[in-house]
Amino acid sequence: MRHPFLFVNFRLKNGTLLHDFSSIFEIVEVADGKAGLAALAEEKSWCGALAASDLPDMSGLDFLAQATALSGVVPLLLAPDSQLPAILRTANARSIAGGWMSCVRSG
């Protein structure tokens, strides 16, 4: 049995990634956040969602927040190393935990 997994991406080269996991996961790929949220709203037992940090219609963090509110899926954010400190700072600022990631700082 393959498990449904959502891949929200419009720019990443993912042929190898998708192929490597195709025996385990039924990978559904969409191009933007809006399409990803629509897919998560479908009555499907998603086991996860992987979103690019830079989507054409919203930030990856906005997608994660909406995906978490919409579905029981555990969404993950895929970000280039160069963007990671800024993304973590933004996520930390939005966190209801009030700084649980404050140990992650740049410079």
Side-chain angles (χ1 to χ4, degrees):
M1 175 180 185
R2 295 182 334 158
H3 307 284
F5 193 93
L6 182 64
F7 191 65
V8 185
N9 160 53
F10 77 106
R11 194 183 305 179
L12 302 172
K13 304 297 180 211
N14 53 37
T16 302
L17 174 70
L18 299 182
H19 177 55
D20 288 349
F21 295 101
S22 63
S23 65
I24 302 168
F25 298 108
E26 172 197 341
I27 297 174
V28 176
E29 187 173 9
V30 297
D32 58 37
K34 185 176 179 181
L37 294 171
L40 287 176
E42 295 175 6
E43 292 187 26
K44 193 170 204 165
S45 296
W46 295 103
C47 68
L50 178 63
S53 62
D54 181 25
L55 298 170
D57 57 347
M58 66 180 67
S59 75
L61 288 174
D62 288 335
F63 173 81
L64 293 184
Q66 292 179 54
T68 302
L70 182 67
S71 168
V73 72
V74 176
L76 305 170
L77 183 66
L78 184 61
D81 289 343
S82 63
Q83 294 178 8
L84 199 52
I87 288 170
L88 290 175
R89 279 193 304 277
T90 302
N92 189 37
R94 294 181 183 186
S95 172
I96 60 171
W100 64 274
M101 291 176 48
S102 60
C103 64
V104 180
R105 301 170 200 245
S106 67

